Amino acid sequence: MALSSTYCRFSSAFSTSSSKNQERCLFTASKIDFNFCSHIFAGSRLLQMKCFNGHLIPVENSFGDSSIVDGSVTNFKVSPDHFSSSEQNKTTVSVTVVGASGDLAKKKIFPALFALYYENFLPEHFTIFGYARSKMSDEELRNMISKTLTCRIDKRENCGDKMEKFLQRCFYQSGQYDSEENFKELDKKLKEKEAGRVPNRLFYLSIPPNIFVDVVRCATYGASSPTGWTRVIVEKPFGRDSESSRELTASLKQYLTEDQIFRIDHYLGKELVENLSVLRFSNLVFEPLWSRQYIRNVQLIFSEDFGTEGRGGYFDSYGIIRDIMQNHLLQILALFAMETPVSLDAEDIRNEKVKVLKSMRPLEIEDVVVGQYKGHSKGGKSYPSYTDDPKVPNNSLTPTFAAAALFIDNARWDGVPFLMKAGKALHSNGAEIRVQFRHVPGNLYRRNFGTYLDKNTNELVIRVQPNEAIYLKINNKVPGLGMRLDRSNLNLLYAAKYSREIPDAYERLLLDAIEGERRLFIRSDELDAAWALFTPVLKELEEKHVFPELYPFGSRGPVGAHYLAAKYNVRWGDLSNDDS
């Protein structure tokens, strides 16, 4: 969609101490689809600006709710309410959930949209459409959605009233995914709801990847916005390897520009993943230690205590490496290991992530362990094997567990093992980042540690889920007359510190897509670099028919994972029992 040059004007909402007339600033942009933050000069003062519905407004600066006027700080806070009602009435946002009858839409997308509405983060004028092949009325859609909606803990308004108002904004259009005519019918309904305002349209593709291109083609020709922006959120998987990923990207770019494609990895919207850069770049205590000089190894661990449970057909086509490691864990690794970006602008952050991925050593099959859970009985209860799933072939070699050792060949991380581990049907459910620091040189208390020196090294743990927390393991003297050392946790448990409910990752990412913020979405070259790392080893595993090591349902996974860690003098951090 061509975007013409647009002028956004802002009349500064302050007067100077010398009673000068209000200043007017002219901002020229090549696109109406601005990045999250811009900067603009008002006279001799630099103001930080944000684009809201095509208009520039000042946002909170480093002084919190204040702005600087002639060198002094004055109370000044701007929100969308700063606009006049006539300005707000000029635009509208329509969100179309394609695949509205699927589990992802019902369990995640519609509840996330309602949460944004409940917290007043959606624009004043918005419409939500469900689109799927199923025959359904508006009321049937609303009834389906209402069963999965929940309200926030801090209920500032009557939940029932808010929910009813939200449901009245939800509508349904039945149609085929490859029918341009059906999307034109959707376009007519959208125009009715947009009522002459500038239409901005967001399409969320909650559908299998094999029909992405058909939907994008039909939506582009049949239901894209004629005057506002059109954006498309694409759910993983983004192909199965480098070749299929490039083909998918090339096909999508026949109809969309890169700026219109929002590749979603919901793990990037997790609160603790979001906090990674804050933890590192705004705390002096961590940034000097974030290198090979002080860090011995980094572990990225993902575990689920359940099996495929009805997803066997999908999972068997992809496996745990494609499902979790190539995207979720690798994205977290890139954020963790990147250099300080020039700014918080989306492109600056994504540039640094790409540099990390391109600096990674090719993954060797000798540094990969794969496993598959098997059935067993314990305590009178029977646990199924992976191949017991009726949608999984009896001779399937698809791994449900994988561990890998990766290396970043740059000055900061040379020689530091980054160990990944992901699996289903394990003993616990969670995701975390573990940073194990080096031993203290010439440690005076080495004798007190005895054989437990490795166990008692400092470790920073960032628990992404569940029970979000950040804690640092330090050595401490046990009170008493003797000299006995123990390991204690300096603990930030989010539930204890913050009373607010932590937003779901989909809420953050949907809001970012509506606002045009791309920082947490994956760029095409980033995707290419990620696949380039894993594709060779995936092909080798499949071509050599590598048989996965079997492990019991509910165990800690294959023994081979421990041998892999030991190969690099590492002990998996989640094996200890002293975590908070």
Side-chain angles (χ1 to χ4, degrees):
M1 177 181 63
L3 297 167
S4 60
S5 178
T6 304
Y7 293 87
C8 290
R9 295 182 179 271
F10 162 66
S11 297
S12 57
F14 58 83
S15 59
T16 65
S17 57
S18 58
S19 302
K20 293 180 181 178
N21 293 330
Q22 291 183 332
E23 296 170 293
R24 179 171 292 272
C25 305
L26 179 63
F27 180 85
T28 307
S30 61
K31 296 182 178 180
I32 195 169
D33 187 12
F34 302 100
N35 289 330
F36 177 72
C37 288
S38 304
H39 289 83
I40 187 167
F41 278 95
S44 61
R45 293 177 295 281
L46 180 66
L47 298 179
Q48 192 176 16
M49 311 295 289
K50 176 179 178 179
C51 189
F52 183 87
N53 288 342
H55 298 272
L56 285 177
I57 61 171
V59 296
E60 295 172 8
N61 55 26
S62 58
F63 289 87
D65 299 343
S66 307
S67 63
I68 303 173
V69 179
D70 288 342
S72 62
V73 179
T74 59
N75 291 331
F76 186 67
K77 183 174 182 178
V78 179
S79 70
D81 296 335
H82 183 71
F83 295 120
S84 66
S85 58
S86 62
E87 286 176 316
Q88 292 191 46
N89 286 332
K90 289 179 180 177
T91 62
T92 182
V93 172
S94 300
V95 180
T96 300
V97 181
V98 182
S101 58
D103 280 349
L104 178 65
K106 290 186 286 188
K107 295 178 181 178
K108 290 293 185 180
I109 303 171
F110 288 120
L113 288 168
F114 172 66
L116 291 175
Y117 174 70
Y118 187 79
E119 295 286 352
N120 299 315
F121 279 109
L122 291 183
E124 179 181 349
H125 297 286
F126 75 91
T127 305
I128 295 172
F129 263 86
Y131 184 100
R133 290 174 295 201
S134 309
K135 297 294 182 181
M136 199 184 310
S137 66
D138 293 344
E139 284 303 319
E140 287 172 326
L141 174 74
R142 291 166 186 163
N143 182 57
M144 180 190 77
I145 293 172
S146 66
K147 295 176 181 177
T148 59
L149 301 187
T150 57
C151 291
R152 290 295 196 202
I153 293 171
D154 53 333
K155 297 177 181 177
R156 296 186 299 271
E157 299 183 50
N158 183 283
C159 182
D161 290 347
K162 200 78 171 176
M163 195 176 292
E164 186 59 33
K165 290 178 181 177
F166 174 80
L167 291 172
Q168 292 306 310
R169 304 279 194 105
C170 298
F171 304 91
Y172 186 74
Q173 171 65 39
S174 174
Q176 297 299 313
Y177 295 131
D178 59 353
S179 171
E180 192 175 325
E181 288 302 315
N182 289 157
F183 275 89
K184 286 180 179 178
E185 293 170 12
L186 171 66
D187 180 61
K188 291 178 183 178
K189 290 187 178 181
L190 288 171
K191 287 177 178 175
E192 291 174 6
K193 306 303 178 187
E194 290 159 350
R197 300 181 184 92
V198 175
N200 296 315
R201 296 179 180 179
L202 176 66
F203 292 87
Y204 196 118
L205 305 193
S206 178
I207 51 177
N210 61 308
I211 51 178
F212 281 172
V213 178
D214 284 338
V215 169
V216 166
R217 173 179 53 81
C218 295
T220 298
Y221 292 143
S224 62
S225 172
T227 53
W229 52 254
T230 300
R231 297 171 187 152
V232 178
I233 296 180
V234 183
E235 271 277 358
K236 76 171 184 71
F238 313 116
R240 297 189 77 256
D241 50 27
S242 293
E243 184 180 358
S244 58
S245 176
R246 283 194 294 267
E247 288 176 1
L248 176 60
T249 297
S251 297
L252 292 176
K253 287 186 176 181
Q254 292 181 53
Y255 311 105
L256 301 170
T257 64
E258 177 65 27
D259 285 348
Q260 291 178 284
I261 304 171
F262 286 69
R263 299 175 188 85
I264 193 171
D265 184 331
H266 74 273
Y267 253 69
L268 294 183
K270 298 279 187 183
E271 186 67 35
L272 270 294
V273 176
E274 267 274 78
N275 199 27
L276 259 180
S277 58
V278 177
L279 183 73
R280 177 179 168 188
F281 297 127
S282 69
N283 291 291
L284 184 61
V285 68
F286 290 122
E287 175 57 18
L289 305 179
W290 221 260
S291 72
R292 61 189 297 272
Q293 281 75 27
Y294 297 99
I295 292 178
R296 193 154 56 102
N297 68 82
V298 180
Q299 302 174 20
L300 300 105
I301 301 172
F302 175 96
S303 62
E304 291 179 336
D305 57 4
F306 52 88
T308 52
E309 296 185 357
R311 295 179 67 238
Y314 159 80
F315 188 87
D316 201 64
S317 299
Y318 290 91
I320 198 72
I321 296 177
R322 293 182 177 94
D323 195 43
I324 301 296
M325 295 176 72
Q326 183 271 340
N327 39 71
H328 297 335
L329 296 188
L330 191 61
Q331 283 292 315
I332 294 173
L333 186 155
L335 280 172
F336 178 95
M338 71 180 185
E339 297 298 318
T340 307
V342 175
S343 74
L344 291 177
D345 180 78
E347 297 312 306
D348 289 335
I349 291 174
R350 297 199 289 187
N351 287 343
E352 295 302 330
K353 288 169 65 184
V354 170
K355 289 178 185 177
V356 170
L357 297 175
K358 289 185 174 181
S359 299
M360 296 188 74
R361 190 183 305 171
L363 185 58
E364 303 288 343
I365 197 168
E366 291 79 14
D367 284 331
V368 177
V369 172
V370 292
Q372 186 184 99
Y373 66 87
K374 65 180 180 180
H376 72 113
S377 297
K378 183 179 180 180
K381 184 176 180 180
S382 295
Y383 297 88
S385 69
Y386 173 66
T387 53
D388 285 338
D389 189 311
K391 296 182 180 179
V392 174
N394 291 331
N395 60 349
S396 173
L397 299 181
T398 299
T400 60
F401 176 98
L406 301 101
F407 293 87
I408 303 171
D409 291 333
N410 63 17
R412 182 182 292 271
W413 298 112
D414 186 30
V416 176
F418 283 77
L419 268 67
M420 284 185 183
K421 182 169 68 170
K424 289 182 172 293
L426 296 175
H427 71 292
S428 64
N429 188 45
E432 58 189 16
I433 307 162
R434 287 179 173 265
V435 185
Q436 294 185 347
F437 293 93
R438 295 192 180 278
H439 302 140
V440 175
N443 196 324
L444 293 173
Y445 298 97
R446 178 181 293 270
R447 291 182 180 178
N448 299 86
F449 290 129
T451 59
Y452 294 100
L453 183 62
D454 277 349
K455 183 180 177 182
N456 288 281
T457 54
N458 298 136
E459 186 176 27
L460 174 66
V461 181
I462 302 169
R463 189 193 298 148
V464 177
Q465 69 178 29
N467 303 320
E468 293 87 349
I470 301 172
Y471 52 97
L472 179 64
K473 297 187 176 185
I474 62 169
N475 297 314
N476 188 49
K477 179 185 176 296
V478 176
L481 297 178
M483 180 55 73
R484 188 163 66 90
L485 301 187
D486 189 21
R487 186 158 68 164
S488 303
N489 293 340
L490 297 179
N491 193 344
L492 168 58
L493 182 64
Y494 270 53
K497 172 66 176 175
Y498 303 108
S499 58
R500 286 182 61 88
E501 182 184 0
I502 294 177
D504 183 80
Y506 282 91
E507 296 172 33
R508 185 187 314 279
L509 294 167
L510 277 163
L511 181 61
D512 281 355
I514 291 171
E515 292 186 338
E517 168 57 55
R518 295 174 176 80
R519 180 170 50 93
L520 298 178
F521 294 90
I522 302 168
R523 206 168 60 190
S524 59
D525 58 341
E526 194 177 342
L527 187 61
D528 288 343
W531 274 121
L533 184 65
F534 278 98
T535 294
V537 76
L538 282 168
K539 287 188 174 180
E540 191 170 356
L541 286 169
E542 291 167 358
E543 288 172 358
K544 291 183 176 180
H545 301 286
V546 175
F547 196 88
E549 180 184 342
L550 299 179
Y551 62 94
F553 191 116
S555 69
R556 292 182 180 272
V559 175
H562 306 293
Y563 285 112
L564 175 65
K567 177 181 175 181
Y568 295 103
N569 197 27
V570 174
R571 184 177 184 271
W572 290 107
D574 62 336
L575 301 181
S576 62
N577 296 317
D578 58 347
D579 285 356
S580 58

